[in-house]
Structures are given as structure tokens and as C-alpha cells.
Amino acid sequence: MKISILKNVLNESIQHVSKAISSRTTIPILGGIKLDVTHQGVTLTASDTDISIQSFIPIEDGERTIVQVEQTGSVVLPAKFFVEIIKKLPSQEVQMEVKDQFQTFISSGATEIQMVGLDPEEFPVLPAIEGNQTISLPGVLLKNMIRQTVFAISTHETTPILTGVLWNLENNQLKFTATDRHRLATRSAKLDGSDDVKFSNVVIAGKTLNELSKIVPDQNALVDIVVADNQVLFKLDRVLFYSRILDGVYPDTSRIIPTTYKTELVLDTKKFSESIDRAYLLSREEKTNIVRLQTMENGGIEISSSSSELGKVREELDVIDFKGEPLRISFNSKYMLDVLKIVESEQLMIAFTGMMSPIILKPMDDSQSSYVILPYRTTN
């Protein structure tokens, strides 16, 4: 294998695939990035068995020549060093040559590097995925759906299925659900042209979706998503992103979402968020994050928290609308802030069915999102 390639294009591809490199792998070959050179271009691949990412660099891009191929071939290079060294090379062109025993020579400007490569035959083969269950959605929508649900996943490996986001598609309606048993986030979107596609219980690890989100561009370019029995493939321009589907059955969360409420408040999202943030500063010191909210006779609400060492904070907040019974409720302010950070609506509806029933949060100008936080039982 012998090539000359533009550094910035190679570096961009390396940054994409390196998201699939695990620092804790016990299989040495998975600590590397595989390069396959043909007369069509260069393909980079990385995998940690849960996710695999492949990035293709074509010979030309319009008028610009990106890669010059003298000799085709393959090699696996240690990712940790390869990722860092390419970024720091002095020249805009990089020459790479693989010789006997996969010894790889990299040169750029006056810099010459010799790396010990590995046999590409030992690198795992990427899963074969049939394309019968394919949907397409804009990249910016996919990123938003991930951002508006992934914060609610569980971080405890004792229940692996809850460390992922549930995907369901029925009647052209794609729905994401995430929960850690203390809170719940759902986000739906209407898809066009997927009348024949239907799937359920597709659960993708939250950390995988976070890595995917970093690769998806912030434009409306379509992302093709192929769903198979135990794998999902995301196709983004010149990048293929494979993810394993988590094993197990996701719990039925529909029963914990009430449809009728005893109390409903409509609040200014920004003012409410700032108020909770101030109360959180004290509740954080107690290691409980508990903040109390109660309705007042004048139609407003009171938000308060306390710390045995620092003191108390209490403030009154006007509401835009109030319906139903008076209420006093306690909740985890960090969970509330996590929701408020991702709500883009200027106004927010908060609904309650009682002191120890789930708290429902719905952005007023977004019927596709809803959030649930379980309250705390407190002694005062």
C-alpha cells in the first residue's frame, strides 16, 4: 500500500471513526483503525463490537484531487497514536507506505514516522444489514430527538436496557423514549414515505447515540437508517455508523403517564428555569437536590429549598395560567433543570395529579415532546 493524501481530509475521517475506539478493549486489533486503499479511494474503519464506524475518502472531490494511489492494500494502525500524530503533522500532504510485516512509514514535510501496523485480516468483518426496514429523516431532527431524550437514560449497568433509548415506529410516527425509573422523556416525529416500515423495541445505547450525534451534520441533509434484527445502520454522506441493538424488552412506560390532571400551571420557561436554578444551589449542598413548589392563594407559585448549613431560599413566581386544586410538591431539581435546558418553547405546562403522582412537563408550542419526573416524599 502506498498513497499520498490531504491531511485535513484524512484527519476528518479519523475523527469520525475514532468515536468507535474503546480504551478498555482486551482485543488488541480493536485498538486500531483499519485502512483499505483501492483505486476508488481510502476506507477507514473502527469498531468496539458495540459500534462500528466506516468513513470513505474518494480519490477526487469535484475538481480537487484528495488521494493519489500508487499501490493498493490494507493495514491496521494503533488508533491512540495515529489519531494524535496526523493532527500534528506539519504539511498539508501526507505520504503513507506499508512495507513487510505491516511496517508503516508516514511522512509529511520534514517529519518521518515509522509505525508498527497489524494484520488487517484479523480485523472483524462489519455486519451485513439488509435494507428492507429503511427510514430517512433530516440530520437536524435526528440530533434534536436524541438531545431531547438521551439525558433521561439510566447510568446504572444493572439494568442495561434502560441505558438506551427506545425507538418505535408505527403509522409513520417515530417515537423515542428514555427513562431511568425516576424520570421519563419522550419525543415523536411524523415521517414521510415510511408507510410500509414498522418496528418496535429497538433500543440503542445512549452513549452510542451521543457519539452518533457528534457526526451528524447540523443541516437538513437526510440520514438513512436501516433497522435489522440486532443492528441499526446510519448512513451519513460518506460515513456508515453501525450500532448494536440492546438485548432485552424495554418496560411499558405508557401506564405511568396520566392523561387527566388535578392541577395545571402554565409558566414562563426562562423565569421558571432561573428560579429552579437558584433553589438548586442550596439543595445541591444537602446532596438531595430537593426543591419544593407550592401554589399560592394569589394564583402564583412559591419555590423554595434549604440547606442545614447554608440557610434557605424562597421566591414567588407569577404564572401565566392556573387551573385546578392547590398543591405542594417536592422534586429533584437537577432532573427538572435537565428538562428545562432542552425545552425550546417560551412557555411550559406543568401538570399534577396529586402530591405523590408523576409531574408532567409539556412545552406549549411542541406537542411532540413530553417529560415526566417522579416527586419526592418529604416529611415537611
Side-chain angles (χ1 to χ4, degrees), residues 1 38 46 53 57 70 85 147 156 203 252 284 317:
M1 169 189 141
T38 68
I53 304 175
I57 302 170
E70 280 191 48
I85 199 65
R147 183 175 60 87
H156 298 294
V203 185
D252 179 10
R284 182 180 63 187
L317 201 62

Side-chain angles (χ1 to χ4, degrees), residues 137-151 165 167 174 176 185-189 209-210 212-214 216-220 223 341-344 366 368-369 371:
L137 66 157
V140 69
L141 173 61
L142 176 60
K143 282 172 83 98
N144 277 335
M145 291 184 73
I146 293 170
R147 183 175 60 87
Q148 290 166 350
T149 51
V150 76
F151 70 89
V165 176
W167 293 39
L174 178 65
F176 286 13
T186 66
R187 172 70 159 89
S188 300
L209 292 174
N210 278 328
L212 171 68
S213 194
K214 293 172 190 173
V216 176
D218 287 320
Q219 294 103 23
N220 272 327
V223 178
K341 280 176 194 167
I342 53 96
V343 169
E344 293 171 354
D366 177 11
Q368 302 278 37
S369 303
Y371 306 95

